[in-house]
Amino acid sequence: MLNTPARHFNKTRIAPTPSGYLHLGNALSFALTAALARKTGAKILLRIDDLDQQRVNLLYIQDIFDTLNFLNIPWDEGPRDVEEYKSSWSQLHRMDSYNTALKQLEQQGDVFACQCSRAQVQGNIYPGTCRDKAIPLDRPNIAWRLYTDEKDVSIHTLNDGIIKTKLPDTMKDFIVKKKDGYPSYQLASLLDDLHFGIDLVVRGQDLYPSTIAQHYLASVLHKDAFQSITFHHHPLLMESGDKKLSKSAGATSIKYLREQGKTPEDVYEEIGRMLGIEEDLRSLIR
């Protein structure tokens, strides 16, 4: 499962969101990140992505530490407990950086205001409703969207080298500032990876569109260093049919499994079963 080229990296990251109890899919991503870090000599940063403040819950933050410790996933940098997270590591401490980037986009004329609700964006494809309305950017309860076009972006991948691609339809004119005033995931994740010196990102295949969007945004912000980060997109664990695991799937949460008396070995065996592989996943992080 880790048949990857022998390379050296400085730092990768584990970046969970505290919006629910972590599940088997998160455990797979953490284990693969730890395994690639060990294989490539990279340090591991724990970064908690908490800008969705309406969904942040301290119980979910505690669950991040409980899950990593239970699964024996190591990390070299970042908070060790909830108090350290709150005092020094929350993304709220980096709001100045995000707002500086948003101001740059405004000054460059690269964003427009959008008042559409989620219900008005069918199939996650934005129809450009507000693109030419010239809604003031300082109007309350509006999001900022990035003007996008058909230009290529280049992505460094771990196994396939440099891939050239374009924004998928679901990322056309994507949001960079949410209606609640906080920066979007795409903007904050990009800036955080640069801030912490990340040069290897391991994430699920479902985030490939985000990878493309972040490369596009990096070019608009003239953040050339982002282009040198290497990305690896791993397979997802699926529920019945083709539905990916979610944090609402209680029976697959690590907390639930732990409370049922399951061991880390049981968890890794279940992940292997769901992936349909015979490899002992426990060996990934040893």
Side-chain angles (χ1 to χ4, degrees):
M1 191 171 185
L2 282 176
N3 185 23
T4 57
R7 295 180 58 183
H8 175 78
F9 293 99
N10 294 316
K11 192 187 297 184
T12 185
R13 83 299 200 273
I14 291 171
T17 57
S19 56
Y21 291 113
L22 299 176
H23 54 65
L24 290 170
N26 301 117
L28 169 62
S29 190
F30 298 164
L32 289 175
T33 301
L36 282 169
R38 187 190 63 176
K39 185 175 182 179
T40 62
K43 300 292 186 183
I44 300 174
L45 164 76
L46 172 59
R47 188 186 85 201
I48 297 177
D49 288 356
D50 63 348
L51 287 179
D52 190 353
Q53 283 288 298
Q54 292 183 347
R55 299 177 68 190
V56 170
N57 186 315
L58 290 182
L59 291 176
Y60 299 150
I61 293 170
Q62 182 60 53
D63 180 62
I64 292 171
F65 298 109
D66 293 342
T67 297
L68 291 172
N69 289 322
F70 172 71
L71 295 174
N72 300 311
I73 303 290
W75 70 97
D76 304 287
E77 183 181 353
R80 291 290 158 181
D81 54 37
V82 172
E83 289 308 312
E84 276 194 21
Y85 147 76
K86 289 194 295 185
S87 66
S88 304
W89 292 94
S90 168
Q91 286 183 301
L92 298 179
H93 295 295
R94 299 190 290 280
M95 285 297 296
D96 285 349
S97 170
Y98 309 143
N99 287 331
T100 296
L102 288 169
K103 188 66 176 178
Q104 178 184 340
L105 293 173
E106 179 185 9
Q107 292 174 341
Q108 292 175 179
D110 288 316
V111 290
F112 64 94
C114 176
Q115 58 191 5
C116 295
S117 66
R118 288 190 178 184
Q120 293 173 286
V121 182
Q122 299 295 325
N124 292 323
I125 298 177
Y126 178 65
T129 307
C130 298
R131 214 176 199 266
D132 301 316
K133 288 186 176 180
I135 299 169
L137 289 170
D138 59 356
R139 179 176 293 181
N141 198 37
I142 56 96
W144 288 12
R145 290 183 177 271
L146 188 73
Y147 286 111
T148 64
D149 57 29
E150 296 295 320
K151 71 179 177 183
D152 288 335
V153 298
S154 297
I155 300 171
H156 287 255
T157 67
L158 192 61
N159 291 320
D160 300 316
I162 298 177
I163 295 176
K164 285 194 173 182
T165 187
K166 299 180 186 297
L167 282 173
D169 289 342
T170 55
M171 286 295 170
K172 299 293 177 63
D173 294 348
F174 60 90
I175 291 174
V176 292
K177 183 180 180 182
K178 300 179 295 179
K179 287 185 176 182
D180 61 9
Y182 287 100
S184 72
Y185 168 76
Q186 311 303 354
L187 184 138
S189 183
L190 182 169
L191 294 176
D192 282 354
D193 284 337
L194 292 175
H195 174 78
F196 289 110
I198 302 300
D199 58 356
L200 172 64
V201 172
V202 181
R203 51 175 36 158
Q205 289 175 340
D206 59 324
L207 286 176
Y208 185 59
S210 288
T211 297
I212 302 173
Q214 288 164 23
H215 278 77
Y216 189 103
L217 180 57
S219 68
V220 176
L221 288 169
H222 310 295
K223 302 291 187 183
D224 297 338
F226 193 79
Q227 308 301 325
S228 63
I229 299 176
T230 296
F231 286 77
H232 177 66
H233 298 86
H234 62 76
L236 302 178
L237 294 185
M238 311 301 288
E239 292 185 65
S240 57
D242 60 354
K243 184 180 180 182
K244 72 173 185 175
L245 291 181
S246 70
K247 289 178 181 174
S248 62
T252 63
S253 79
I254 305 302
K255 179 178 184 292
Y256 173 83
L257 295 171
R258 192 171 67 244
E259 290 172 348
Q260 296 302 304
K262 301 297 185 182
T263 66
E265 289 74 17
D266 294 329
V267 171
Y268 288 122
E269 285 179 7
E270 178 63 13
I271 292 172
R273 185 194 66 76
M274 295 178 73
L275 287 172
I277 62 175
E278 297 181 358
E279 183 177 359
D280 182 359
L281 295 182
R282 290 171 295 175
S283 66
L284 290 180
I285 58 173
R286 287 176 180 166

